[in-house]
Amino acid sequence: MNQKRFYVNGIECNVFCDPEDFLSKVLREQLLLTGTKIGCGEGQCGACSVILDGRLVRSCITKMRRVKDYAHITTIEGVGRPDKLHVIQRAWIKHGGAQCGYCTPGFIVSTKALLDEKPAPSREDVRAWFQQHRNVCRCTGYIPLIDAVMDAAKVLRGEMKESDLDFVLPADGRIWGSTYPRPTAVGKVTGTLDYGNDICRKLPADRLHMALVQAKVSHALIKGIDTSAAEKMSGVVKVLTHKDVQGKNRISGLITFPTNKGDGWDRPILCDSKVFQYGDALAVVCAVTKEEALAAAEKVKVDLDVLPAYMNLLEAKAPDAIEIHPGTPNHYFTQKTVKGEDTQPYFKDAGNVSVEHSVITSRQPHMNIEPDVAFGYYSDDGKLHVHSKSIGVHLHHAMIVEGLGVAPDQFVLAANPMGGTFGYKFSPTIEALVGVAVMATKRPCMLEFNYHQQQQYTGKRSPFYGTTRLCADKTGKMLAMEYDFDVDHGPYSEFGDLLTLRGNQFIGAGYDIKNIRGEGRTICTNHAWGSAFRGYGAPQSFMMSETTVDLLADKLGMDPLELRYKNVYREGATTPAGQTPDSLSLPKMIDALRPKYKAALENAAKNSNGKFKKGVGVGIGIYGCGLDGPDTSEAYCEAMEDGTFVIGTAWEDHGQGADIGAVTTAHEALRPMRVAPELLRFTWPDTDLRPNSGPAGGSRSQVMTGSAVRVACQNFLEHAKKPDGSYMTYAELKAAGKDTRVSGTYTVPGVPCDENGQGKPFMVYMYGVSMAEVTVDVESGKVVLDKYTAMIDEGKIVNKTTIDGQNYGGIAQGIGYALYEDFEDIEKDKTMVGGGIPYPKDIPDAIELHYFEEPREFGPFGAAGSGELPLIMPTAPIINAIRNATGAVITRIPALPERVLEALKNVK
Amino acid sequence: MNQKRFYVNGIECNVFCDPEDFLSKVLREQLLLTGTKIGCGEGQCGACSVILDGRLVRSCITKMRRVKDYAHITTIEGVGRPDKLHVIQRAWIKHGGAQCGYCTPGFIVSTKALLDEKPAPSREDVRAWFQQHRNVCRCTGYIPLIDAVMDAAKVLRGEMKESDLDFVLPADGRIWGSTYPRPTAVGKVTGTLDYGNDICRKLPADRLHMALVQAKVSHALIKGIDTSAAEKMSGVVKVLTHKDVQGKNRISGLITFPTNKGDGWDRPILCDSKVFQYGDALAVVCAVTKEEALAAAEKVKVDLDVLPAYMNLLEAKAPDAIEIHPGTPNHYFTQKTVKGEDTQPYFKDAGNVSVEHSVITSRQPHMNIEPDVAFGYYSDDGKLHVHSKSIGVHLHHAMIVEGLGVAPDQFVLAANPMGGTFGYKFSPTIEALVGVAVMATKRPCMLEFNYHQQQQYTGKRSPFYGTTRLCADKTGKMLAMEYDFDVDHGPYSEFGDLLTLRGNQFIGAGYDIKNIRGEGRTICTNHAWGSAFRGYGAPQSFMMSETTVDLLADKLGMDPLELRYKNVYREGATTPAGQTPDSLSLPKMIDALRPKYKAALENAAKNSNGKFKKGVGVGIGIYGCGLDGPDTSEAYCEAMEDGTFVIGTAWEDHGQGADIGAVTTAHEALRPMRVAPELLRFTWPDTDLRPNSGPAGGSRSQVMTGSAVRVACQNFLEHAKKPDGSYMTYAELKAAGKDTRVSGTYTVPGVPCDENGQGKPFMVYMYGVSMAEVTVDVESGKVVLDKYTAMIDEGKIVNKTTIDGQNYGGIAQGIGYALYEDFEDIEKDKTMVGGGIPYPKDIPDAIELHYFEEPREFGPFGAAGSGELPLIMPTAPIINAIRNATGAVITRIPALPERVLEALKNVK
């Protein structure tokens, strides 16, 4: 360690540090400037960007020895602060540039460096700058960020008024449907909102760092774990193995269906008898410093009998494969769909046209920028608390409480402000490990993943190996569909049955197909465990059916858009589950798309050449909002002494906008009371403090919890209404002996799907039709998405900025799913770059969104959800566009250049 | 630990803490808002003041359970920042409100709360507010602070322009003699300058906290120390005793005189055979957290044979007293003064008038607001570094390096930005303990004292028990002086001989007394060890001689001012050391005081009554600037690539203004080059990086190091001068192959005092004459100082704001010395209140300073020093004024009410 003097944000710092330490560590851990975030920790994501002597650097790869004495460093805290926002920060707020907000400080600092250097950049310049400096955003699809930079530059050049960046409350005082900024925006753009890792840095001094001892093989029997050497290492307080777990040592997969051959108790907290996948936790070191914990973890000796690892479902299904979970077959669940008449006669009828098409989808990694992090402690009333990135605190409570062996009312789960999860945190990850550590050490404990752990040891999207068969009459009227698919769900059953049901619910969705026979099978493998991911089952399903529709159109000699137009939901149509759709917007959306589609086709034809072939593809996308069946949510509205109202929910915010959703919906519901929006306060989830609003997944929150907020607020109005039509204040309620808090519950009359996949699983759906325009370099196989156009029906818009952000960001992930992203090679894909995260150059600036605001009966004030649809939509249009451009039929995504070249070889 | 949400400076914080923890701990240690300082840690000093929900609180006594959820807290960081200073902060800079700056954040936050509540306070209101909220400043004497508040309030009320608070560079570009703000001011008023404890908070995670096991008796034999139970405690890395010290385990007292009977190696780093005083360090626990270190320290078992404790010099001198340091007599040093003829004939001459007077002075505690703190580490080149509040890094290096057992070139001492030390850090305190810990653990170690440790285990001003005899002819011409005194120097010999010499040098100083016989004796006791304190020997000396002068005047029937006027230094006079004074300003200062004195006497006569008696007292004060004899200092001037110039010195800044002294002197010296003052950069002391400028004590720095800076800068000019008269830039020097750094050394031609106390110890002196106006409540014995007027000759003024601050602050400490401050009762006096620290009500708003800028030959550009004089001046005038008011002769200070009542009883 040496002394180092330098300036941070104009303040002279006198720091003692190891010259080999990274600047990010010194800034965050020694100076507690936690606005600078760590994403990948290896220079691939730019979340840690700071300006060092005028040059933009990634502080996570800048060693302190490269920081000269008296160097000047600018961090996000030096760009602007809540009481003195920089123009860039104000522009970021205006354009909703901060969704989860985790990449935001890095982007804003990067923008500062760009505009310092180049005050009048073009959009392309901005993209090139972010590309060059490796600024990655996983939420926004980049467009809102570029918009923000362009506006900020304009203001800084004096070509636009700074006040034009501000939101102006309309004359009617209504924020519903407006661009009202989300309540967390200021905290996010200034780096002052503390995420889990930031909070960990501010825990009391007696907190312990945890380091995991993880399996480096994918399947093995555990013969012994020797912790004795580790226990003797410096700073080690305790080394934990499964023997230290007081409860059942299993995380419940919450098996949904009785036909599941597993019992759901297959995921150990700390492995005892077997290793089921690479990265499985075998032991935990609790030590004073992170370095000490990591050093000691290296000293734990694990004795394993390595077993054959089934790294895909084909291997796991093989007749000679051993059972990964002894006693449970590797194929442990089957979901059928039986709708209408037997489908075979239709396929056998020579008068009909039928096609069959098989695809394999990827193990898409979520690639959230913020790695997993959690901490836990005993509160003074003796309860065990774990704070994490959980997007289902009440759900996860139920999943892990027995495994820990703590009384349910003595265990509290809470959600930190967090970076995007995109669904991986629909599953508990490290909560139980932290709980075990706190119980064993009786001290606060924290566990932070590095990015390799994030990639290798959190859930991934489960690949489908699926075949779809479609049958239509000669006019293109779809008559029957058959399909079957296997789901590679990894070693843990968690929601695997539900996911398989989702396949059944969405393969062929959008079309009025009266007769369906389908089967989905859930397979246990030794690859990464399958967890939820935005779209949950539907990106796979639409990849199956929507690429098959194009083949059918071809065979029919019909235009693929018109074949869709002929078959999409209209009056009298039913979904694959036999349910009546809640909005019939698909035909009008196709009508709106048609002229653009024709122009695109003309453009493609005109601009293709021997090397670069252009093509156009379309597809529809649909997803439900809610958990299957009679989903329910709770909320409350509470008047506070200071004149504010707390809108209490456990609506987890992982960037999608729980804050703006809760506040906007409450504001709309409370309009008779004319309360200023800034007086509405959202809450952070906590199983002890907040009602059970259900998890923040499946695009259910705005519909379900939004409705619960609506009900709570309306109940409050009734409760507080005075005879003269005005409302009681906090003081008046108190004086009258009335509660200041009023609850609301909302339940939808859904019907769970039966063994034939029939029911009313969702009372609200989202619909979309979209078009991809691509250029394929037939020499390299590289596909460039030139433009993407989406017609979207997500019901009434709650907040325009937020819904744009959800759609841009989801579309970007859908593009990634189609073209770049996978987690197949455990070693190679452990980084963001290895996993194929889309950089600015990978997502087009040309993304058009068109909304069709069909009001929904079961959503609050007509709103639906918006999270899942955009990710679902793009894949098939892109894959269809590649075929349209070149004839190449892509059967496995992502459509990496080598796969495109392979497919091109097969073009007749 | 529980979760707590609240706002700090408008930013929502999500903190997990123990509800029994203090807010200050959470702010400083968890949120790293180190602008909030901890002084006393028990609510007595206000350094930790923050605003909690609109109310000013002392955060060091505010438990977290008293912080409501969603409470709003304002800390200094929220008042203003370096790039956006608050008006109060700007006013503070203008008035030099921040000397050491340690109390500054608390005062500024307190002022914010005051002005929020009361926008137009009177000076009395401001004082009452600070008094009520226990804001204590030890540097400024409060007047500059009140001035700053009044100006800030005016600006905030719109009655003064904010820009009137700014320093305006005069047309000639000269800052010498101006009110140019000190370079550290912005860092101090914003709380962004990191002091030792702040730096400790920002050390890497592997640093260890040290806790001392200290003696709870004052004198004992050590039979054994059992560390086994402590070693087993949580978080403990090592428990150290004297056996772990690799070197001599002694701090050298650097014995100056061969006649000293001790060898100076009497102060153990960690006690081995004996306990010499209460608080002596017996063992050190090094642990991960402070709490763990403290808990383990409780478990160390010490087996002692308690010996009789000699708590004052009378006991230690008793014939039956055992030797505290076996082999060295308790009276271990004697210094005589033999000047002129034998004095006895004068005293025996019946034609002359003579008096004799005995006094005892107090064990004045420094009561700096910042408690002692240090940390150490091995740098990557293997050197052991200790950073502390040392005000003599090169001096202390020599004192402790052998004790540690490290090669001198492998040991580095550095000074942190620090709160006032007022001299206690002229001695090493905890540096060696930290060094031992780092050597034993090989890890960074930190040790912070709480206030009780600060009081009980750092050096104090050594009491004098002295008798003075003065003889004059009937006209009042002083003919001879005799005196003898004992010095209670505590158990460690450190500088005890030098201190005794100081008594000889300043008893009777100011008067041309041709014949002197005196003797001072240094006595070892078991009370607190004696260390340097501003004035170092002179407050005691002038208390002896200046109170005796008044008795002589009485006996002569002369006015005490006129008796002084008759005898002060004029042409041909010599000091007690036989040296010719360097300035003969005393007569003209008395001339200037005379009309004020007469008016004061009239006022006192008019306004006295039976209960409240008013009186006026005068006295002179003198001190030397430098170490005895041929003092020397080094500095350098270095041109930097960025156009700045580094003024390199080891001039330690403990609030007195090393920063402004170095920069102003360099600026003056570099005037031919016309360099902007903000381009001059001062340095922090470090034995490896900076030249030996000598310690920052004895008012020597401006004279000695200021001169070295002058020489270095003038050498630089010569070195860089081009034929055309302009100067080479950094680039030009480099291109020409010339050094960019040029050194300067300055040595004064002093002559150390001989065994008769004769020599030329200082080549520069400071002179003052002052007057105290007091009111004595004869019923309660309480003395109130109504007004204090000082005529000061400190040579040419370097910086007006700074010299005012030095004088106001020193005078306040002199008032404290006279009336309030002592450290006699180890238990009762361990707090600031117990030690008698002056609060605002204890220091009058009416302090008048008048400067007589006599240029000094040996000071840079005519400057002298300014630190010691103001503390020396007030005591005798106050004591004389009490006698003038009531006839009561105070023979022991502080003149506490009970002592005044006792003295009143003896009034004839």
Side-chain angles (χ1 to χ4, degrees), chain A residues 217 239 262 377 541 621 640 699 782 797 803 825 871 876:
Chain A
V217 299
V239 184
Y377 61 96
S541 302
M640 305 301 284
S699 295
K782 190 169 157 41
I797 291 174
I803 204 165
D825 185 323
L871 195 155

Side-chain angles (χ1 to χ4, degrees), chain A residues 253-264 332-335 495-502 505 522 628 752-755 757:
Chain A
L254 288 187
I255 291 302
T256 310
F257 301 101
T259 50
N260 194 316
K261 290 178 183 157
D263 63 2
Y332 58 92
F333 179 71
T334 302
Q335 174 69 48
F495 311 117
D497 47 10
L498 195 68
L499 173 67
T500 308
L501 173 63
R502 284 287 179 281
Q505 287 165 340
T522 325
D628 288 62
C753 285
D754 60 19
E755 68 279 10

Side-chain angles (χ1 to χ4, degrees), chain B residues 197-220:
Chain B
N197 196 299
D198 308 329
I199 298 172
C200 283
R201 304 264 87 82
K202 299 167 191 179
L203 291 176
D206 66 339
R207 58 90 192 84
L208 298 174
H209 285 266
M210 297 163 60
L212 302 188
V213 179
Q214 292 176 274
K216 293 195 170 57
V217 298
S218 296
H219 197 189

Side-chain angles (χ1 to χ4, degrees), chain A residues 1-3 5 7 10-19 29-32 70 81-84 192 194 199 201-206 234-235 288-289 291-292 375-381 387 414-417 443-444 681-682 684 686 689-690, chain B residues 1-3 5 7 10-19 29-32 70 81-84 192 194 199 201-206 234-235 288-289 291-292 375-381 387 414-417 443-444 681-682 684 686 689-690:
Chain A
M1 144 173 159
N2 292 328
Q3 183 170 20
R5 285 179 192 279
Y7 295 88
I11 293 169
E12 190 173 338
C13 294
N14 182 8
V15 172
F16 296 78
C17 60
D18 185 337
E29 301 184 18
Q30 293 189 232
L31 299 179
L32 218 55
Y70 299 106
R81 295 168 295 251
D83 61 349
K84 196 187 166 196
T192 58
D194 279 348
I199 298 172
R201 303 264 88 81
K202 298 167 191 178
L203 290 177
D206 66 338
S234 161
V288 171
T289 68
E291 291 69 22
E292 287 168 330
F375 62 92
Y377 61 96
Y378 277 112
S379 56
D380 291 351
D381 56 5
H387 290 243
N416 295 320
R443 283 169 67 168
R681 197 181 258 173
F682 69 98
W684 298 101
D686 182 304
L689 302 175
R690 313 295 167 212
Chain B
M1 143 173 161
N2 292 327
Q3 184 170 20
R5 284 178 192 283
Y7 296 87
I11 293 169
E12 189 173 339
C13 294
N14 183 8
V15 171
F16 296 78
C17 60
D18 185 337
E29 301 185 18
Q30 293 189 232
L31 300 178
L32 218 55
Y70 299 107
R81 294 168 296 249
D83 61 348
K84 197 188 167 195
T192 57
D194 280 347
I199 298 172
R201 304 264 87 82
K202 299 167 191 179
L203 291 176
D206 66 339
S234 162
V288 171
T289 68
E291 291 70 22
E292 286 167 331
F375 62 91
Y377 60 97
Y378 277 113
S379 56
D380 291 352
D381 56 6
H387 290 242
N416 295 319
R443 283 167 68 167
R681 196 182 258 172
F682 70 97
W684 298 102
D686 182 304
L689 302 176
R690 313 296 166 212

Side-chain angles (χ1 to χ4, degrees), chain A residues 613-901:
Chain A
K613 293 194 183 295
K614 290 184 179 285
V616 182
V618 295
I620 65 172
I622 295 178
Y623 204 69
C625 303
L627 304 180
D628 288 62
D631 193 5
T632 191
S633 181
E634 296 168 52
Y636 66 76
C637 171
E638 181 174 5
M640 305 301 284
E641 197 169 0
D642 63 1
T644 63
F645 294 85
V646 171
I647 308 306
T649 72
W651 188 346
E652 293 88 358
D653 195 338
H654 43 134
Q656 86 282 26
D659 57 343
I660 188 74
V663 163
T664 306
T665 308
H667 189 256
E668 185 69 7
L670 292 172
R671 286 201 78 222
M673 216 164 61
R674 296 267 159 200
V675 53
E678 61 273 18
L679 295 181
L680 302 180
R681 197 181 258 173
F682 69 98
T683 58
W684 298 101
D686 182 304
T687 55
D688 240 21
L689 302 175
R690 313 295 167 212
N692 187 349
S693 308
S699 295
R700 65 178 287 284
S701 299
Q702 180 59 48
V703 170
M704 295 305 306
T705 304
S707 293
V709 165
R710 173 184 62 74
V711 172
C713 290
Q714 288 170 344
N715 289 348
F716 182 90
L717 290 181
E718 207 161 307
H719 174 79
K721 195 161 189 169
K722 293 196 280 192
D724 68 356
S726 69
Y727 296 91
M728 300 171 88
T729 62
Y730 172 88
E732 289 169 336
L733 287 167
K734 278 284 184 193
K738 297 185 75 158
D739 288 340
T740 52
R741 179 188 285 196
V742 178
S743 293
T745 301
Y746 183 73
T747 304
V748 284
V751 178
C753 285
D754 60 19
E755 68 279 10
N756 290 324
Q758 301 300 290
K760 291 182 180 173
F762 308 104
M763 299 309 292
V764 177
Y765 287 87
M766 303 164 285
Y767 304 86
V769 181
S770 71
M771 171 174 75
E773 298 170 61
V774 305
T775 301
V776 182
D777 177 343
V778 296
E779 289 170 12
S780 69
K782 190 169 157 41
V783 177
V784 171
L785 177 61
D786 298 319
K787 184 171 180 183
Y788 183 76
T789 307
M791 305 291 158
I792 295 166
D793 170 16
E794 292 168 342
K796 286 292 185 186
I797 291 174
V798 182
N799 181 281
K800 181 61 168 52
T801 317
T802 306
I803 204 165
D804 277 352
Q806 281 293 294
N807 283 301
Y808 284 131
I811 287 165
Q813 292 177 338
I815 295 166
Y817 187 56
L819 293 176
Y820 311 118
E821 301 175 19
D822 205 352
F823 179 73
E824 197 55 36
D825 185 323
I826 289 172
E827 189 53 32
K828 186 177 94 40
D829 298 345
K830 71 184 176 191
T831 67
M832 286 189 195
V833 169
I837 200 165
Y839 281 89
K841 72 168 171 44
D842 301 318
I843 304 298
D845 205 44
I847 297 182
E848 266 184 30
L849 307 178
H850 301 274
Y851 295 100
F852 294 76
E853 295 191 56
E854 302 293 324
R856 296 302 197 282
E857 181 185 354
F858 291 99
F861 308 110
S866 65
E868 325 292 304
L869 180 69
L871 195 155
I872 294 164
M873 291 192 295
T875 311
I878 290 169
I879 299 303
N880 290 339
I882 294 171
R883 183 166 162 277
N884 175 259
T886 63
V889 178
I890 302 293
T891 57
R892 184 166 192 163
I893 54 170
L896 299 169
E898 57 269 28
R899 288 189 182 138
V900 173
L901 286 178

Side-chain angles (χ1 to χ4, degrees), chain B residues 541-562:
Chain B
S541 304
F542 285 98
M543 175 63 196
M544 282 173 64
S545 54
E546 282 298 294
T547 54
T548 307
V549 169
D550 263 36
L551 296 177
L552 180 64
D554 246 30
K555 199 156 180 186
L556 284 162
M558 280 183 79
D559 180 274
L561 186 67
E562 299 311 326

Side-chain angles (χ1 to χ4, degrees), chain B residues 57-133:
Chain B
V57 300
R58 276 154 277 161
S59 61
C60 81
I61 51 168
T62 303
K63 289 195 169 172
M64 284 309 299
R65 63 177 155 75
R66 284 181 48 205
V67 178
K68 288 187 196 156
D69 254 354
Y70 299 107
H72 281 265
I73 295 167
T74 302
T75 70
I76 186 67
E77 290 88 352
V79 175
R81 294 168 296 249
D83 61 348
K84 197 188 167 195
L85 293 172
H86 191 280
V87 165
I88 299 170
Q89 291 166 320
R90 296 175 72 180
W92 228 261
I93 293 172
K94 173 187 167 77
H95 290 282
Q99 288 191 31
C100 86
Y102 200 79
C103 71
T104 303
F107 265 99
I108 288 176
V109 169
S110 181
T111 301
K112 173 86 169 51
L114 164 65
L115 298 184
D116 284 351
E117 194 176 308
K118 189 173 188 125
S122 67
R123 291 184 75 88
E124 276 314 300
D125 291 338
V126 177
R127 290 184 158 266
W129 176 271
F130 289 147
Q131 181 74 27
Q132 176 196 343
H133 293 285

Side-chain angles (χ1 to χ4, degrees), chain B residues 767-844:
Chain B
Y767 305 85
V769 181
S770 71
M771 171 175 75
E773 298 170 61
V774 306
T775 301
V776 182
D777 177 344
V778 296
E779 289 170 13
S780 68
K782 191 169 156 39
V783 177
V784 172
L785 178 62
D786 298 320
K787 185 171 179 182
Y788 183 76
T789 306
M791 304 292 156
I792 296 168
D793 170 16
E794 293 168 342
K796 286 292 183 185
I797 290 174
V798 182
N799 181 279
K800 181 62 168 53
T801 318
T802 305
I803 204 164
D804 277 351
Q806 282 294 293
N807 284 301
Y808 284 131
I811 287 165
Q813 292 177 339
I815 296 167
Y817 187 56
L819 294 176
Y820 312 118
E821 301 174 18
D822 205 352
F823 179 73
E824 197 55 37
D825 184 325
I826 289 173
E827 189 53 34
K828 188 177 96 35
D829 298 344
K830 71 185 177 189
T831 67
M832 287 189 194
V833 169
I837 199 166
Y839 281 89
K841 72 169 171 42
D842 301 318
I843 304 298

